Amino acid sequence: MDSIYTTPEHELLREQIARFIAREVEPHGVAWEEAGMVPREVLRRMGQAGLLGLMYEERYGGGDADAMTNLVFAEALSQSTFAGFIITVLVHTDMAGPHLHHAGSPAQKEKYLRRVTAGEMITAVGITEPGAGSDVAGIRTTARRDGDDWVLNGTKMFITNGVHADLYFIAAKTGTARHDMTMFIVEKGTPGFSVGRALKKTGWLSSDTAELVLDNVRIPAGNLLGEEGKGFYSVMKNFQTERIALAAMAVGHCTQALKMTLDHVRQRQAFGATLWDKQAIRQRLAMLDAKTRAASQFMYHCAWSVTQGRDIVQEVSMLKALTGELVNEVVQTCQQFHGGMGYIRETAIERLWRDARVLAIGGGATEVMLEEVAKRY
C-alpha cells in the first residue's frame, strides 16, 4: 500500500508474512483451535524466518528494527483470521519478550535472548492477577530476598501462552509502597511454579491461557530483571508497544471482515437483487471502511511518533480505546450482513466476531484507557 510511513522494505516484510500465513496458518488453524494451542514447530519456523525478534539486537538474532517496522509486522500478522495464532505470536514478540530486551543484563540476554528470537523458548508475562488487571499496582504476588535467592509467592491469572511457555517474566511486590514491584525471570519447571489450570475462553481458541501458581518459588538473585523496585515503570513503558500491537490486531480484523463482507454482499441474492444493491448495506460498509482507514492512519502516526522518541501515552491510550471499540462495531455489523452463516462455527466471520470481543478488554479496558487520556488534559 502507498503510505507516507512505509518503505519498499516494509512491503516486502508484509508480503513475506502474507505468504507464511497462507501456507502455514490458515489451512491448519481450525485444528489448532480444537487443540487449544499453536504448535511450537510453527513458531520455530517463524523464528528461523527471522520474524520473532525484529526489535531485538542483531547480536542475539534480532533485526534492530524500529517501531514502524514492528507495526508493519503486527498488522501483516493480523491479516490471519485466527486471532489465537496472532496473539500467541504478539505476546512473545511485543508483550513478554521486550521485558528481556529492554531490561535484561548482558548475561541474561546471552542466556535467553537468542533462543527467544529463534522460537526455541516461547515467552509469557505474568502481571494480571485474580484481583488486579488493568490496575497493575494492585498486584499481591510477593518476592522476598532470602540469602542469594528470591522467593516468590502468589497467583497470576489470564496469562496468554501460560500453559506452554518456556520462560516467564513475573511481576511481584518487593516492598510496601503501591508501585514498589520488580520483574523476575522464572523458567518452566522451577520447583513450586505450576500451571494451576488452563482457562477456557470464548475466543482466541488456539491461544493457551493459564492461571499460574507460585508456591515458594526459589530463584537465584541473578533472575531479577531490571532494577529492584522499578518493575511498575517497566510494565508501563512496555504498555506502549503492547497497545499499538493490539490496535494492529483490531485494524487487521476490521480490514479482513470488511473484505470478506464486501465479497459476500456482492454475491448474496435477496429479494431479486444482491445485498450490495441495498443502499443501507453499502453505505454502512462504506462508513465502517472510512472509520477503519482513519484508525489505521492514527495507528501509523503513533508508531512514527515512537520512532521520534515522543511521549505519546495519551495518544496510544486513545488508539487502544478507539480500535478496541471500533473492531467490535465493524465485525458485528459484518457478521450481521452474513445472516445465519455468520453464526456458524468454523466460518471466518464468526471466528472474527468472537475473537474481536476481547480487544476492548485485554491490554487495558476501554474505560481505563479513557481515564488515562482524560488525566493528561
Side-chain angles (χ1 to χ4, degrees), residues 139 151 163 212 375:
I139 69 168
V151 179
V163 178
L212 303 177
K375 71 186 185 185

Side-chain angles (χ1 to χ4, degrees), residues 348-361:
I349 192 64
E350 184 272 342
R351 189 162 58 245
L352 288 173
W353 167 68
R354 57 180 151 86
D355 287 343
R357 183 65 190 91
V358 74
L359 290 172
I361 301 171

Side-chain angles (χ1 to χ4, degrees), residues 161-363:
N161 294 353
V163 178
H164 297 291
D166 307 290
L167 196 64
Y168 300 77
F169 307 115
I170 302 293
K173 297 298 285 283
T174 47
T176 56
R178 178 167 167 77
H179 291 161
D180 192 351
M181 69 176 67
T182 304
M183 298 298 294
F184 295 90
I185 300 172
V186 180
E187 293 187 35
K188 172 168 276 183
T190 302
F193 180 61
S194 64
V195 174
R197 56 191 167 126
L199 302 171
K200 295 183 177 180
K201 309 183 296 298
T202 295
W204 287 3
L205 298 185
S206 51
S207 161
D208 55 287
T209 306
E211 174 191 46
L212 303 177
V213 178
L214 299 103
D215 183 9
N216 288 318
V217 174
R218 183 175 290 271
I219 57 175
N223 281 32
L224 187 150
L225 183 60
E227 292 184 59
E228 182 178 344
K230 301 296 184 183
F232 177 82
Y233 305 100
S234 296
V235 171
M236 292 299 107
K237 177 181 178 180
N238 197 58
F239 272 156
Q240 192 157 276
T241 300
E242 176 175 336
R243 287 166 180 163
I244 290 176
L246 290 169
M249 280 191 76
V251 170
H253 286 349
C254 290
T255 303
Q256 276 294 352
L258 287 166
K259 180 181 177 181
M260 64 179 63
T261 303
L262 283 167
D263 289 343
H264 174 75
V265 299
R266 283 175 172 143
Q267 298 173 27
R268 182 75 164 93
Q269 295 282 324
F271 304 103
T274 67
L275 292 181
W276 181 249
D277 291 319
K278 313 300 181 187
Q279 184 183 61
I281 285 180
R282 62 178 182 261
Q283 289 192 0
R284 182 76 173 129
L285 290 174
M287 178 58 78
L288 293 176
D289 191 17
K291 290 181 178 182
T292 297
R293 295 189 195 197
S296 178
Q297 289 301 307
F298 183 32
M299 177 177 70
Y300 270 87
H301 180 72
C302 284
W304 175 82
S305 296
V306 172
T307 69
Q308 304 304 302
R310 298 181 180 179
D311 178 2
I312 58 164
V313 173
Q314 186 184 58
E315 288 85 350
V316 170
S317 300
M318 287 179 175
L319 176 69
K320 173 62 174 62
L322 175 70
T323 55
E325 295 299 316
L326 177 62
V327 69
N328 279 279
E329 179 187 8
V330 171
V331 173
Q332 183 165 317
T333 302
C334 289
Q335 183 201 36
Q336 177 76 13
F337 291 170
H338 277 75
M341 189 55 69
Y343 202 63
I344 300 300
R345 273 290 174 97
E346 298 184 10
T347 61
I349 192 64
E350 184 272 342
R351 189 162 58 245
L352 288 173
W353 167 68
R354 57 180 151 86
D355 287 343
R357 183 65 190 91
V358 74
L359 290 172
I361 301 171

Side-chain angles (χ1 to χ4, degrees), residues 40-51:
R40 270 20 189 183
E41 58 266 27
V42 175
L43 301 178
R44 284 193 291 272
R45 284 198 286 275
M46 288 194 74
Q48 291 163 5
L51 297 174

